[in-house]
Amino acid sequence: MSVDFCGLELAHPVINGSGTFDALAACEAFGAGLLEDFPFAAYVSKTITLEPRRGNPPPRVWEVPAGMINSIGLPNKGLSSYLANDLPRLAGITTRGHEPGGELRGVPLFTNVMGSTAAELRELVEACDRHEEIAAVELNVSCPNVQTGLDIGADPDQLRAVLGELRGATGKPLVVKLTPNAADVPACAVAAEEGGADAVSLINTLRAMALAPALDGARARPWLGGRTGGLSGPAVRAVALAQVAAVAERVRIPVIGMGGVQSGAHARQLLDVGASLVAVGTESFRDPGAGRRIARELQSER
Amino acid sequence: MSVDFCGLELAHPVINGSGTFDALAACEAFGAGLLEDFPFAAYVSKTITLEPRRGNPPPRVWEVPAGMINSIGLPNKGLSSYLANDLPRLAGITTRGHEPGGELRGVPLFTNVMGSTAAELRELVEACDRHEEIAAVELNVSCPNVQTGLDIGADPDQLRAVLGELRGATGKPLVVKLTPNAADVPACAVAAEEGGADAVSLINTLRAMALAPALDGARARPWLGGRTGGLSGPAVRAVALAQVAAVAERVRIPVIGMGGVQSGAHARQLLDVGASLVAVGTESFRDPGAGRRIARELQSER
Amino acid sequence: MSWSSATAKPERRPLEVTANERVGSYRLLRVHDPDGGCAPGQFAMLAAEQHWGGGQDERPFLPRALSVARHRGGEAHFLLEDVGPGTSRLCELAPGERVFSVGPLGRGFRPPQPGRRALLVGGGVGIAPLMILQDRLAAATRALLGFRDGERARAAELMLDVHVATDDGSVGHRGTVAELLRRELEEDREAEVFACGPGPMLEAVRALCSQLQVPAQLALEAPMACGFGACFGCVVPARDGSYLRVCVDGPVIDAEALGEVGEYAGAPA
Amino acid sequence: MSWSSATAKPERRPLEVTANERVGSYRLLRVHDPDGGCAPGQFAMLAAEQHWGGGQDERPFLPRALSVARHRGGEAHFLLEDVGPGTSRLCELAPGERVFSVGPLGRGFRPPQPGRRALLVGGGVGIAPLMILQDRLAAATRALLGFRDGERARAAELMLDVHVATDDGSVGHRGTVAELLRRELEEDREAEVFACGPGPMLEAVRALCSQLQVPAQLALEAPMACGFGACFGCVVPARDGSYLRVCVDGPVIDAEALGEVGEYAGAPA
Ligand SMILES: Cc1cc2nc3c(=O)[nH]c(=O)nc-3n(C[C@H](O)[C@H](O)[C@H](O)COP(=O)(O)OP(=O)(O)OC[C@H]3O[C@@H](n4cnc5c(N)ncnc54)[C@H](O)[C@@H]3O)c2cc1C
Ligand SMILES: Cc1cc2nc3c(=O)[nH]c(=O)nc-3n(C[C@H](O)[C@H](O)[C@H](O)COP(=O)(O)OP(=O)(O)OC[C@H]3O[C@@H](n4cnc5c(N)ncnc54)[C@H](O)[C@@H]3O)c2cc1C
Ligand SMILES: Cc1cc2nc3c(=O)[nH]c(=O)nc-3n(C[C@H](O)[C@H](O)[C@H](O)COP(=O)(O)O)c2cc1C
Ligand SMILES: Cc1cc2nc3c(=O)[nH]c(=O)nc-3n(C[C@H](O)[C@H](O)[C@H](O)COP(=O)(O)O)c2cc1C
Ligand code: FES
Ligand code: FES
């Protein structure tokens, strides 16, 4: 079941969605064995920014029918701390793939970065380029929780231009994570391809909102500390399928499909409409072993 | 609980979403009494086009987690048949509002129209203007199931221009039903307001897709006859809330909020973020009495 | 003799489940419905009041269309086959639980034309509307019923004067119910056929009756969202090229008015 | 004496429910969990295997965090209050049904500092982690428990050496458990407080202990999506301005490390 993605060899086609699996925290919860037999075939980091970010004030999550809204606000320790403290620990992750006795393989590390300007993004990409532990770079141009980022991703021209400025900064595979909150997502994907992206990934979360349970007579107020957030989970699966299918039809570069995947059958559908890899986000919250389980189900589907 | 909407008096703030309640068919299923005590405070027609349309080939619906996808394709008998055959029967609808003994009031008729050019839309609006049975006109510039319509609604400049060309065609309240598949929905709402709209309504369905259950080994194919469709129901509620809130903050004209409303509490949330009326779509499929029930629950919420 | 279609209340009604019995592979569900009464062939949209959702793939969400299989003693009966998350939940309902019901809905069967004997043709769980039809027909009526296997064929005991066909030959004729129908009609064409079953079966019945010029009323099924004409989701193509809504123009439609019966227009196979 | 936090398997495990008993307003749920064992204060993320979803507002969807209230005889016990669709579904589980469980998770209580007597302070269903804590403490430990009313206060019987306060005065002291705590601490400050309960109660405990310079370990609660540090959803502000993840930095956190305890950082009120 091993697959090639932009020249990287992956044990199977199931990886994690950025920001939905913290390998180091999971290691505390589940023990160090987790990093020896990782549930995903590649590990995508949470979004890293140049400067440290605290993230949004709580509450940060809200449950909705068949999904959730998050307003995490991209907390992270900033680029230097990530490179100095996390990277060494993330370098040696391995996996046995979808079955206990499987061959031991390395788990390539994808570092997801976000910047509010092309210059910031270039600096982030350059830094990633200097670290051989990093196998690929994913650009988050789509996170709806933060003011920045969004506009670049929703406007094909701007996206193409930004990529033009930073493409030269690395020879590593460059994945552009598209925003689903755009009028014409395939056009954005084409712009990413023209700008030199080696792959695109989608969907990120849909802009959404939750109100706190209202007290008698009072007007309800936003529940999330960040006011609005992003919708993920099975509720968005049919939207993801439509966007992935539409994008895969328009670009020649590989597509990483995600959004509401809970089972091998769902992963299979994304592959069937043209994705090369499938990422799992919210389902990991319900089952930390979801990555491996879905890879296994996918195997028995074929 | 009676409310004013663009000068029309409504028994309560709950109306139906276009295309989700066929008053004449319902009359066959539930008897003529339905039109005497209608579940909604206004009746919004299914989208009417100049020429008759058969709609998309079946299957047309697919169930998803907490919602459904439809690919109906706007079947309708065309403008002349609508005006000649349906309108007379729809003219005298009344309601007792949210409780059995309530005061008897007229149920204003909103005719929802769609055209692929400004000229077509103008012709539709002019025709509506000539019929006094029609209280208001809703422009569908957003239906994702059909090639036309979508682009006008997703591009603020085009939307403003189109409205400029047809606004003069009627003095009746003109409601613009926005598309949710846009990068900046509030900007589209502002454009509608600038173009002379008396109100905006949102959200329409989110572009989505379903694949038929795959046979062993085969690649899954689209389930819906129309290939893609629109997602509605509770799955989109949090997206609707975010878009309605963002739009209501930016425009002064009234907003009709909809998307996944199932209860008075949900309706209340849309009103709390700035909607003037709430429309119910998919929930009517689960409960044909949803309109009245939600109005009643809303009343006891206040 | 004539059966007038009953009109439903324009809202979902919570009805109490009174019994749930196994009949071979199927379930016979009874709900307390004193207002009831309906024409044979009408259906109801049912959803469990509790735990409707959260099943396979986070479904069901919409209510499910079920033929009224019987209405007697203030109870409506439904015959159910578990084919997915909705029917699975309905099949596990225990007495005392409640279902939301909208119905009876749709246009049922019309009585047979004078001078023609009724011939009931059912496939699988599609026998449901034929049960109530047989109850309502004055004289005993022959029923030709096809099932996939013997376990399913046990549902034949719910009807009278039955000839059974099974795909695997475990009970009755090995083969299709259309073969039984051809034999019957070749003996006596002064019949009118009332059929309900999987799409391919209905199509075979339609083609045969058309060939032999025997009138047939087909009870169709189609994926439905609402059941009362609101969503335009349940269409089947008519012979004249237009689309018919199964829920309000049917579910019982004259074979003559139809084009070919598609895969999705029948009961679970 | 020391309790090492147990490490969970990195996947959800289906565990069988063995019992579900009423205790006043609460439910004591037992599940078969032979691998188990955990430090007092650790929790598990639970979801019913069937019918998780389709409740009020089409929820639940995510698993729910529940403190392990006891672990003995190969069974984990959970004390549950029905406050919404998730706990409602868990409260109705019947023996033989299964729950998906991820756990034990988080950092539990540390043993009291040498020379200090442990003093357990619980509010409502927040007594759950104190039950297992009392089991593990060598000597009998006083428990000060606050409840809204007498029906809830019946859960006090699950612990030993209990002093109860109720809001309505129906049982024990009329007033708050923080008032009981103040009395205890005024008599003898050589104590260490172990507390779990609603946000306002925890804040009162924190403020009091800070004022009287008594060390306190607080078991916090926060809306959680994952329970193992993946989502960054469960944060509470630390005194130093950073955010702590309740699921991996807690749920038990030294009162000293915290800023004010917010409304959402406690057990259901
Ligand atoms: C008028 C009428 C009368 C009927 N009478 C009876 C009756 O008396 N007894 C009875 O048992 N059945 C009856 N049916 C059929 C019954 O309504 C269906 O079997 C039921 O709706 C299936 O629901 P489910 O959730 O169990 O399975 P689903 O999985 O929803 O449906 C089964 C089939 O639907 C398709 N499907 C799969 N996934 C989806 C999806 N996500 N969205 C939409 N379609 C999907 C596939 O073709 C699948 O094989 C009747 C149908 C109609 C229209
Ligand atoms: C570490 C830890 C240990 C816990 N231990 C226990 C225990 O032992 N026993 C016990 O009974 N409880 C315990 N809890 C609390 C328990 O997890 C919650 O009561 C439970 O998650 C509530 O879920 P619900 O579906 O029943 O109610 P919900 O309705 O989900 O939640 C109740 C509260 O959450 C908020 N809320 C309402 N709607 C939503 C929504 N859509 N999305 C997000 N939040 C919403 C509101 O503030 C509401 O009052 C613990 C919590 C944590 C974090
Ligand atoms: C709690 C949470 C945090 C997320 N953080 C990030 C992030 O830091 N960067 C990013 O690009 N995407 C982030 N995402 C988006 C996911 O990677 C994924 O695109 C999305 O959740 C859809 O997939 P799912 O439905 O499987 O969760 C986050 C999603 C969730 C639910
Ligand atoms: C079956 C179906 C048909 C619809 N037809 C139309 C239509 O003809 N014109 C239109 O403007 N919107 C149409 N809509 C969109 C609804 O009016 C509404 O905007 C949307 O469904 C969101 O609301 P809901 O979640 O309450 O259904 C349709 C929706 C559904 C589900
Ligand atoms: S099921 Fe909705 S129109 Fe027939
Ligand atoms: S609950 Fe997800 S990080 Fe704590």
Side-chain angles (χ1 to χ4, degrees):
Chain A
M1 182 139 84
S2 92
V3 292
D4 171 274
F5 175 78
C6 298
L8 302 169
E9 202 195 346
L10 271 56
H12 54 70
V14 183
I15 69 174
N16 68 296
S18 170
T20 63
F21 204 90
D22 180 332
L24 299 180
C27 204
E28 278 179 56
F30 304 121
L34 185 84
L35 301 189
E36 286 154 32
D37 189 8
F38 203 61
F40 302 101
Y43 175 53
V44 183
S45 79
K46 187 153 180 57
T47 293
I48 307 295
T49 51
L50 274 183
E51 299 304 321
R53 293 172 58 102
R54 289 179 72 206
N56 290 332
R60 290 179 170 183
V61 293
W62 179 256
E63 185 181 64
V64 297
M68 62 177 285
I69 311 181
N70 82 79
S71 170
I72 308 296
L74 306 180
N76 74 98
K77 301 182 215 160
L79 179 67
S80 354
S81 168
Y82 168 75
L83 295 174
N85 304 318
D86 293 359
L87 203 52
R89 300 174 59 201
L90 298 173
I93 305 183
T94 54
T95 184
R96 297 207 171 267
H98 63 283
E99 44 194 7
E103 187 190 332
L104 197 70
R105 288 175 202 268
V107 170
L109 183 61
F110 291 24
T111 297
N112 178 301
V113 297
M114 194 194 77
S116 43
T117 62
E120 251 182 67
L121 275 167
R122 190 180 168 99
E123 193 176 337
L124 286 155
V125 173
E126 274 168 355
C128 290
D129 188 63
R130 283 191 298 270
H131 287 79
E132 60 171 357
E133 301 93 327
I134 298 175
V137 182
E138 184 175 57
L139 297 186
N140 178 359
V141 294
S142 58
C143 192
N145 300 350
V146 178
Q147 248 51 28
T148 57
L150 175 75
D151 295 334
I152 308 177
D155 175 358
D157 295 333
Q158 216 183 325
L159 183 57
R160 196 184 300 103
V162 167
L163 283 171
E165 285 187 50
L166 57 78
R167 172 68 268 198
T170 187
K172 296 188 179 178
L174 197 61
V175 183
V176 172
K177 184 151 181 191
L178 301 167
T179 171
N181 303 306
D184 190 347
V185 178
C188 299
V190 168
E193 182 174 36
E194 290 167 357
D198 296 300
V200 289
S201 57
L202 71 162
I203 66 173
N204 209 317
T205 57
L206 301 182
R207 210 174 301 130
M209 187 176 182
L211 296 181
L215 303 173
D216 297 331
R219 198 169 150 190
R221 334 198 99 264
W223 166 265
L224 296 166
R227 228 185 98 88
T228 60
L231 178 65
S232 65
V236 309
R237 190 164 62 234
V239 173
L241 194 61
Q243 294 198 0
V244 169
V247 163
E249 262 177 23
R250 294 278 300 280
V251 299
R252 267 153 315 192
I253 51 178
V255 175
I256 305 177
M258 71 193 97
V261 171
Q262 299 182 286
S263 69
H266 302 153
R268 174 70 196 279
Q269 295 206 330
L270 287 171
L271 297 176
D272 275 356
V273 299
S276 300
L277 298 181
V278 169
V280 173
T282 305
E283 184 66 4
S284 288
F285 302 161
R286 304 188 349 141
D287 178 6
R292 177 179 294 107
R293 170 172 57 78
I294 291 168
R296 195 170 57 229
E297 290 166 359
L298 200 49
Q299 173 70 10
S300 60
E301 284 259 325
R302 302 207 154 237
Chain B
M1 182 141 83
S2 92
V3 292
D4 170 275
F5 175 78
C6 298
L8 302 169
E9 202 195 343
L10 270 56
H12 56 69
V14 183
I15 70 174
N16 69 295
S18 171
T20 64
F21 205 89
D22 180 334
L24 300 179
C27 205
E28 278 179 55
F30 304 121
L34 184 85
L35 301 189
E36 285 155 32
D37 190 8
F38 202 63
F40 301 101
Y43 175 53
V44 184
S45 79
K46 187 154 181 54
T47 293
I48 307 294
T49 50
L50 274 183
E51 300 304 322
R53 292 171 59 103
R54 290 178 72 205
N56 290 333
R60 290 179 169 182
V61 293
W62 179 256
E63 186 181 64
V64 297
M68 61 180 283
I69 311 181
N70 81 80
S71 169
I72 309 297
L74 306 180
N76 75 100
K77 302 180 214 161
L79 179 67
S80 351
S81 169
Y82 169 75
L83 295 174
N85 303 319
D86 292 0
L87 203 51
R89 301 172 60 200
L90 298 172
I93 305 184
T94 54
T95 186
R96 295 205 174 270
H98 64 283
E99 42 193 7
E103 187 189 331
L104 197 71
R105 289 174 202 268
V107 170
L109 183 61
F110 290 25
T111 297
N112 177 299
V113 297
M114 194 196 76
S116 44
T117 62
E120 251 182 66
L121 275 168
R122 189 179 168 100
E123 193 177 337
L124 286 155
V125 173
E126 274 170 354
C128 292
D129 188 62
R130 285 192 297 270
H131 288 80
E132 60 172 358
E133 301 92 328
I134 297 175
V137 182
E138 185 174 55
L139 296 186
N140 177 359
V141 294
S142 57
C143 190
N145 301 349
V146 178
Q147 249 51 28
T148 56
L150 173 77
D151 296 333
I152 307 177
D155 175 358
D157 294 334
Q158 217 183 324
L159 183 57
R160 196 184 300 102
V162 167
L163 284 171
E165 284 187 51
L166 58 77
R167 171 70 268 197
T170 187
K172 297 186 180 181
L174 197 62
V175 183
V176 172
K177 184 153 181 188
L178 301 168
T179 172
N181 303 307
D184 191 347
V185 178
C188 299
V190 168
E193 181 173 39
E194 289 167 357
D198 296 301
V200 289
S201 57
L202 70 163
I203 65 170
N204 209 318
T205 57
L206 302 182
R207 209 174 303 129
M209 188 176 183
L211 296 181
L215 303 173
D216 296 332
R219 200 170 147 187
R221 333 197 98 265
W223 165 266
L224 297 166
R227 229 185 97 89
T228 60
L231 178 66
S232 65
V236 309
R237 189 163 63 234
V239 173
L241 194 63
Q243 294 200 0
V244 169
V247 163
E249 261 178 25
R250 294 278 298 279
V251 299
R252 268 151 316 191
I253 52 178
V255 175
I256 305 176
M258 70 191 99
V261 171
Q262 300 183 285
S263 69
H266 302 154
R268 174 71 196 279
Q269 295 205 331
L270 287 171
L271 298 175
D272 275 356
V273 300
S276 300
L277 298 181
V278 169
V280 174
T282 305
E283 184 65 6
S284 288
F285 303 161
R286 305 190 345 142
D287 178 5
R292 176 179 296 107
R293 170 171 58 77
I294 291 168
R296 194 172 58 230
E297 289 166 1
L298 201 49
Q299 173 69 12
S300 61
E301 283 259 326
R302 298 204 157 241
Chain C
M1 188 171 62
S2 114
W3 305 304
S4 56
S5 291
T7 330
K9 276 192 79 172
E11 61 189 26
R12 64 183 185 193
R13 294 174 301 146
L15 302 178
E16 193 174 321
V17 172
T18 51
N20 179 346
E21 298 153 23
R22 243 178 90 98
V23 182
S25 309
Y26 306 107
R27 288 273 165 183
L28 191 68
L29 188 77
R30 302 190 196 183
V31 306
H32 182 64
D33 184 14
D35 307 348
C38 66
Q42 286 196 293
F43 66 99
M45 297 297 286
L46 297 188
E49 184 188 44
Q50 303 281 333
H51 299 314
W52 192 247
Q56 176 205 321
D57 266 349
E58 313 293 334
R59 294 192 297 137
F61 168 67
L62 297 164
R64 295 302 193 253
L66 280 313
S67 305
V68 179
R70 254 174 199 148
H71 206 291
R72 50 163 77 141
E75 286 185 343
H77 299 199
F78 299 95
L79 187 69
L80 280 158
E81 177 161 21
D82 175 353
V83 299
T87 48
S88 165
R89 172 70 184 114
L90 293 171
C91 282
E92 71 173 26
L93 281 167
E97 287 195 86
R98 299 204 300 178
V99 288
F100 285 124
S101 170
V102 177
L105 296 166
R107 294 191 188 159
F109 293 107
R110 276 161 297 101
Q113 297 169 18
R116 291 195 176 261
R117 68 178 176 128
L119 204 49
L120 315 189
V121 182
V125 77
I127 72 168
L130 305 180
M131 289 167 58
I132 183 170
L133 178 62
Q134 198 177 51
D135 287 351
R136 297 290 168 88
L137 285 167
T141 327
R142 171 148 306 171
L144 313 176
L145 307 182
F147 297 95
R148 273 219 298 245
D149 52 38
E151 206 35 39
R152 287 186 168 78
R154 291 189 47 197
E157 74 195 29
L158 295 165
M159 297 187 68
L160 304 171
D161 193 6
V162 174
H163 288 208
V164 170
T166 49
D167 293 356
D168 63 1
S170 55
V171 184
H173 170 73
R174 174 198 292 270
T176 71
V177 75
E179 290 157 12
L180 296 183
L181 177 63
R182 177 177 288 277
R183 274 195 225 157
E184 285 275 341
L185 291 179
E186 277 169 355
E187 274 171 32
D188 172 9
R189 295 196 187 181
E190 290 311 296
E192 178 162 357
V193 170
F194 297 80
C196 184
M201 181 207 103
L202 289 180
E203 174 53 18
V205 170
R206 190 201 60 79
L208 182 64
C209 292
S210 154
Q211 185 203 337
L212 305 180
Q213 293 188 300
V214 171
Q217 298 182 32
L218 309 183
L220 302 186
E221 299 191 0
M224 286 187 176
C226 72
F228 56 94
C231 73
F232 284 76
C234 60
V235 295
V236 291
R239 184 184 295 277
D240 67 7
S242 68
Y243 285 125
L244 298 170
R245 277 175 283 181
V246 170
C247 69
V248 285
D249 301 321
V252 177
I253 298 183
D254 279 338
E256 284 196 325
L258 288 173
E260 208 175 296
V261 179
E263 191 188 340
Y264 302 122
Chain D
M1 187 172 59
S2 115
W3 305 306
S4 57
S5 290
T7 329
K9 274 192 81 173
E11 62 189 23
R12 64 183 185 195
R13 294 175 302 146
L15 302 179
E16 193 175 321
V17 173
T18 50
N20 179 345
E21 299 153 24
R22 244 178 88 98
V23 181
S25 312
Y26 306 107
R27 288 271 165 185
L28 191 67
L29 187 77
R30 301 191 196 182
V31 305
H32 183 64
D33 184 14
D35 307 348
C38 66
Q42 285 196 292
F43 65 99
M45 297 297 286
L46 296 188
E49 184 188 44
Q50 303 281 331
H51 299 313
W52 192 249
Q56 176 205 322
D57 266 349
E58 313 293 336
R59 295 193 296 138
F61 168 68
L62 297 164
R64 297 301 194 252
L66 279 313
S67 305
V68 179
R70 255 177 195 145
H71 206 290
R72 51 164 79 141
E75 286 185 342
H77 298 199
F78 299 96
L79 186 69
L80 281 158
E81 176 161 23
D82 176 353
V83 299
T87 47
S88 165
R89 173 69 186 112
L90 293 171
C91 281
E92 71 174 27
L93 282 167
E97 288 194 89
R98 299 203 300 179
V99 287
F100 285 124
S101 170
V102 178
L105 296 166
R107 294 192 188 157
F109 293 107
R110 278 161 295 103
Q113 297 169 16
R116 291 197 176 260
R117 67 175 177 132
L119 204 47
L120 315 189
V121 182
V125 77
I127 71 167
L130 305 181
M131 289 168 59
I132 183 169
L133 178 61
Q134 199 175 48
D135 286 352
R136 298 288 170 89
L137 285 166
T141 329
R142 172 148 306 173
L144 313 175
L145 307 181
F147 297 96
R148 273 220 299 247
D149 51 38
E151 205 37 35
R152 286 186 170 79
R154 292 191 45 199
E157 73 195 30
L158 295 166
M159 296 187 67
L160 304 171
D161 192 8
V162 174
H163 288 207
V164 169
T166 50
D167 292 357
D168 62 2
S170 54
V171 185
H173 170 72
R174 175 198 292 268
T176 70
V177 75
E179 289 157 13
L180 296 184
L181 177 62
R182 178 177 289 277
R183 273 195 228 157
E184 285 276 342
L185 291 180
E186 277 169 355
E187 275 172 29
D188 172 10
R189 295 196 186 183
E190 291 308 299
E192 178 162 356
V193 170
F194 297 80
C196 183
M201 181 207 103
L202 289 181
E203 174 53 19
V205 170
R206 188 200 61 79
L208 182 64
C209 291
S210 153
Q211 184 203 336
L212 304 181
Q213 293 187 298
V214 171
Q217 299 182 32
L218 308 183
L220 301 186
E221 300 191 359
M224 285 188 177
C226 71
F228 56 93
C231 74
F232 284 75
C234 60
V235 297
V236 291
R239 183 183 295 275
D240 67 7
S242 68
Y243 285 125
L244 299 171
R245 278 176 283 182
V246 170
C247 68
V248 284
D249 300 320
V252 177
I253 299 183
D254 279 338
E256 285 197 325
L258 289 172
E260 206 174 296
V261 179
E263 191 187 340
Y264 302 122

